[in-house]
Amino acid sequence: MNLLSENLTATNSLVSTFTTVNKSLLVLSAFVFVGILLAYAFLLLEREGALQSSAEKLRKYGSISVSIWAITSFFQIILTLANILGSSIGPAFESSTFRSFVTQIDLGRFLFAQTLIALGITIWFRFIRTSLQSIVTLAIALLALSLPVFQSHSASSGSHALAVGSLVVHVISLALWVGGIFAIAVMSDADRLIALPRFSHLALWAAIAVVASGVANAWARLNFSEAWATSYARIIILKALLTTVLVVIAFLNRRELAKSEKTGWHFLRRLILVEATIMTLILVLGSWLSNSQPPSSSEVSTSPAVAIVGFEAPPAPTFMRVLTAYEPDALMIALLVTLVALYIKGVAVLKKRGDSWPVGRTIAFALGIAAIDLATSGGLGVYALFSFEYHMIAHMVLGMVAPIGLVLGAPITLALRTLPQGRTPDERGVRGSLLAALHSRYSGIITNPVVALALFDGSLFVLYFTDLFGNLMQSHVGHLFMNIHFMLAGFLFFHVIIGIDPNPRRIPHIVRMVMLFAAMSIHAFFAIALLATSSLIDGGYYASIQTPWVTDLLADQHDAGSIAWGMGELPIILALAATFIQWMRDDSREAKRIDRNEARMAAMGEPDELAQYNYYLNQLQRRDEKAGEK
């Protein structure tokens, strides 16, 4: 028996070691591939959006790294399953066991999805020929890299929104930073000289995000007063110190490069031997941490709320409690901070250039951002996790209130006026890529009034009157998906209706008003349908939370229907008023244009448009008279 136990322990130890090694190789290869895509998308020179020979030189590195990523992703499934089974890797290859893991267990599903996406990108990568394709592929690669994070140890400790979100930000920022360093290292001297200025700015913000998200994640996962003496906490502290050292070294290297403009072997030696070495050590430590269980607190809570969302249910809602409650959703906060930073940067660029930007647009954008934060991390977001009524309020704010502020802030117009253009006359640049995306066939499809209306209102019935809502509410990633969908669908709809930003198609004002009346009717019908429900539609989520101040779940659901009816009408009415005002202003501008044209033609001694039209009618009449005489 002792011999069997020793063999089992040795097997588990060997599998755990292989898991750490494989995870390190997976992360490193994925980061390298992200760096290659980053170079394709933003760093290397292109011509009218098409990749040039400098990109072809990096293609072999991308092909090798993404292939390794796909292979190690598959083996990560096997090794993870072996760890769960407490066996060697042999039983993990058994078909029924493997199938059950990747179809019924959330962790297995995320790992399997990552493997499939990595495999698909491996095939697709050889066909990438434009920077816009590279940008889309980069976004997909970052998504695939982040998927397993939603079922990591962070998902079961502390506030899930803070723990999981901060780890996602940490992984994405580290991927852009480490991957970008590798891409810079393997470039030719000429390409490196062109790419470094852009990458230096990105690396600075990525490094800040890595440190901030790492601290936030450690805070959410550990009680340092109890876990200070554990090896897990010490590894986190060591990783944080190494990251700080790396930020300092990177800053000194960038400053020296800015002064000397040297990008040859002197740069590579310091970069590879120092930065790359420390980064590799950080990745290994991160892989070890991701495969290790954080030390548990001595105070174990049996509350269903803590198990599902990571914190106890708040007290019964009052106005002040909803206004002051706050549980940070790290991923949404990171998104909002990025948007605000880019907006402020754009306004600052315009001011420095001597151009003006309406203060009202800035205020509208700020109010939209504040509304999103209130509905995700603020009181509405907190209470939405415990009550269907407050979920619906948060939904209305995200989908119908906040988008109006964002749209009136004209962020796309600001971006087009301030984004960097090409570094050469032939390069499309970041601004050109945005223009190409705005004029793409996809943009033309989604800005079609019917499509925008279907996404805005039609998705309500798909979400709430199918099993989708109950399934999405069971996990943080599902809740995040809903929030992002609400925001994007609302932004698209109001962009088509009252948007200041350029639109691929110009929609007549009468069509916009018809869309608004249709949206109002559909929304009212949805609210009535929700009020008429006789059974719960949340898949048992709110019952499992056991919120003490929600005693009647069906009544809470009906209250949500009343909220949908009441709050859904006001934004539509405001949009109707705004559309009517825009219509009147456009007519006024058109009348002034005609008057100016007539004055110009009169000054030049030319007949105006009315005189030309009368002359045309006279010519037609004379032609008819001549035809009658014959």
Side-chain angles (χ1 to χ4, degrees):
M1 180 66 70
N2 291 335
L3 181 60
L4 179 62
S5 177
E6 290 176 1
N7 290 337
L8 183 60
T9 302
T11 300
N12 292 340
S13 178
L14 186 61
V15 170
S16 179
T17 301
F18 281 152
T19 302
T20 300
V21 172
N22 185 79
K23 182 63 175 294
S24 300
L25 189 57
L26 183 156
V27 171
L28 183 60
S29 60
F31 283 10
V32 169
F33 181 64
V34 165
I36 299 299
L37 289 177
L38 180 66
Y40 274 27
F42 300 109
L43 303 182
L44 295 175
L45 285 176
E46 36 88 353
R47 180 174 298 172
E48 297 299 330
L51 301 176
Q52 300 302 299
S53 58
S54 56
E56 293 301 321
K57 298 175 184 177
L58 301 183
R59 193 173 291 273
K60 63 178 181 179
Y61 296 106
S63 298
I64 294 172
S65 60
V66 72
S67 299
I68 295 175
W69 182 20
I71 294 171
T72 52
S73 294
F74 172 76
F75 278 107
Q76 192 65 23
I77 300 176
I78 300 297
L79 292 168
T80 302
L81 181 55
N83 271 316
I84 293 174
L85 296 174
S87 66
S88 62
I89 63 174
F93 279 102
E94 201 276 321
S95 59
S96 60
T97 304
F98 181 86
R99 189 185 312 111
S100 298
F101 181 58
V102 299
T103 58
Q104 300 178 15
I105 307 300
D106 287 340
L107 177 58
R109 291 171 182 169
F110 282 110
L111 290 174
F112 190 57
Q114 183 187 61
T115 303
L116 291 179
I117 295 174
L119 181 60
I121 295 177
T122 302
I123 300 171
W124 160 247
F125 179 68
R126 67 185 65 183
F127 300 106
I128 292 179
R129 293 293 181 271
T130 68
S131 58
L132 193 56
Q133 292 173 343
S134 303
I135 293 172
V136 175
T137 309
L138 175 62
I140 296 173
L142 291 173
L143 173 63
L145 184 60
S146 305
L147 280 177
V149 172
F150 290 97
Q151 285 299 318
S152 66
H153 296 305
S154 290
S156 58
S157 52
S159 171
H160 295 178
L162 176 59
V164 175
S166 60
L167 191 54
V168 170
V169 174
H170 191 73
V171 169
I172 292 177
S173 304
L174 199 57
L176 294 173
W177 188 15
V178 176
I181 289 288
F182 178 86
I184 291 291
V186 298
M187 288 179 187
S188 65
D189 287 351
D191 292 333
R192 193 179 306 115
L193 182 63
I194 295 174
L196 265 176
R198 279 192 177 178
F199 177 69
S200 294
H201 289 88
L202 174 64
L204 173 62
W205 289 107
I208 294 173
V210 166
V211 175
S213 59
V215 171
N217 188 258
W219 180 271
R221 297 168 72 177
L222 293 176
N223 182 347
F224 276 91
S225 62
E226 298 182 4
W228 183 266
T230 64
S231 59
Y232 194 94
R234 290 169 181 169
I235 292 297
I236 286 182
I237 295 172
L238 176 59
K239 183 183 174 184
L241 292 175
L242 289 174
T243 305
T244 304
V245 171
L246 192 58
V247 171
V248 174
I249 293 175
F251 172 76
L252 295 176
N253 276 337
R254 303 301 180 271
R255 188 174 64 177
E256 183 176 338
L257 284 168
K259 293 179 180 178
S260 61
E261 296 187 355
K262 293 179 181 178
T263 59
W265 172 243
H266 175 68
F267 168 78
L268 284 176
R269 182 178 59 190
R270 297 184 60 180
L271 179 66
I272 294 176
L273 296 181
V274 181
E275 293 189 46
T277 301
I278 297 177
M279 282 181 172
T280 302
L281 181 57
I282 290 174
L283 294 182
V284 172
L285 293 175
S287 298
W288 184 86
L289 289 172
S290 65
N291 292 313
S292 303
Q293 182 70 36
S296 58
S297 173
S298 59
E299 298 179 3
V300 179
S301 174
T302 59
S303 168
V306 174
I308 296 174
V309 301
F311 56 90
E312 294 284 0
T318 63
F319 177 77
M320 288 305 300
R321 286 173 179 170
V322 174
L323 191 63
T324 57
Y326 201 83
E327 284 290 340
D329 185 333
L331 197 54
M332 289 302 301
I333 291 175
L335 175 63
L336 297 182
V337 168
T338 301
L339 292 176
V340 170
L342 291 174
Y343 198 93
I344 293 175
K345 175 67 174 178
V347 175
V349 169
L350 285 180
K351 185 177 180 180
K352 184 177 180 180
R353 205 162 60 194
D355 296 334
S356 61
W357 182 255
V359 177
R361 294 184 181 180
T362 303
I363 295 175
F365 187 82
L367 291 175
I369 293 293
I372 294 174
D373 187 55
L374 176 64
T376 52
S377 298
L380 286 181
V382 172
Y383 280 89
L385 296 171
F386 298 92
S387 165
F388 201 163
E389 178 185 0
Y390 283 89
H391 164 84
M392 190 58 64
I393 298 175
H395 173 181
M396 294 295 104
V397 171
L398 288 172
M400 304 190 74
V401 178
I404 293 178
L406 298 182
V407 166
L408 295 179
I412 299 176
T413 299
L414 180 62
L416 291 174
R417 293 181 61 182
T418 57
L419 281 175
Q421 300 185 14
R423 292 162 291 187
T424 66
D426 295 328
E427 187 180 36
R428 177 184 285 174
V430 182
R431 179 179 180 275
S433 296
L434 177 59
L435 277 173
L438 292 174
H439 291 91
S440 66
R441 183 180 302 176
Y442 174 75
S443 294
I445 293 174
I446 64 172
T447 54
N448 183 290
V450 177
V451 175
L453 181 61
L455 291 173
F456 181 67
D457 268 342
S459 60
L460 293 176
F461 296 91
V462 176
L463 174 63
Y464 289 103
F465 293 107
T466 66
D467 294 335
L468 186 60
F469 176 64
N471 294 333
L472 292 178
M473 287 298 293
Q474 300 299 325
S475 65
H476 176 67
V477 64
H479 198 251
L480 177 67
F481 171 80
M482 278 193 294
N483 287 341
I484 292 178
H485 168 75
F486 295 151
M487 289 188 296
L488 292 181
F491 183 88
L492 174 64
F493 179 77
F494 288 107
H495 166 72
V496 172
I497 299 297
I498 59 173
I500 304 171
D501 291 323
N503 198 329
R505 62 176 77 229
R506 182 173 177 81
I507 301 174
H509 289 90
I510 185 64
V511 175
R512 302 183 191 186
M513 301 193 78
V514 170
M515 284 181 61
L516 286 170
F517 281 114
M520 184 182 296
S521 302
I522 295 173
H523 213 87
F525 181 73
F526 163 74
I528 293 172
L530 192 57
L531 282 167
T533 54
S534 57
S535 61
L536 299 176
I537 63 173
D538 63 346
Y541 169 77
Y542 287 109
S544 63
I545 290 289
Q546 298 180 14
T547 307
W549 38 269
V550 178
T551 56
D552 189 338
L553 293 175
L554 188 59
D556 188 52
Q557 185 171 292
H558 290 162
D559 290 340
S562 301
I563 292 295
W565 197 343
M567 286 190 67
E569 303 300 319
L570 182 59
I572 298 295
I573 292 174
L574 293 176
L576 276 170
T579 303
F580 183 77
I581 292 173
Q582 289 179 348
W583 195 353
M584 295 299 100
R585 287 179 176 177
D586 286 349
D587 285 348
S588 177
R589 283 194 292 266
E590 180 65 15
K592 291 179 180 179
R593 186 194 65 80
I594 294 174
D595 291 341
R596 287 195 302 269
N597 188 52
E598 291 179 352
R600 180 186 61 81
M601 297 181 70
M604 298 177 62
E606 299 178 4
D608 59 22
E609 292 180 359
L610 180 60
Q612 291 177 349
Y613 182 67
N614 289 332
Y615 177 76
Y616 171 72
L617 293 178
N618 289 332
Q619 291 294 104
L620 290 178
Q621 183 179 3
R622 290 178 183 179
R623 187 177 64 183
D624 293 340
E625 290 175 352
K626 289 180 180 180
E629 291 176 358
K630 293 179 179 180

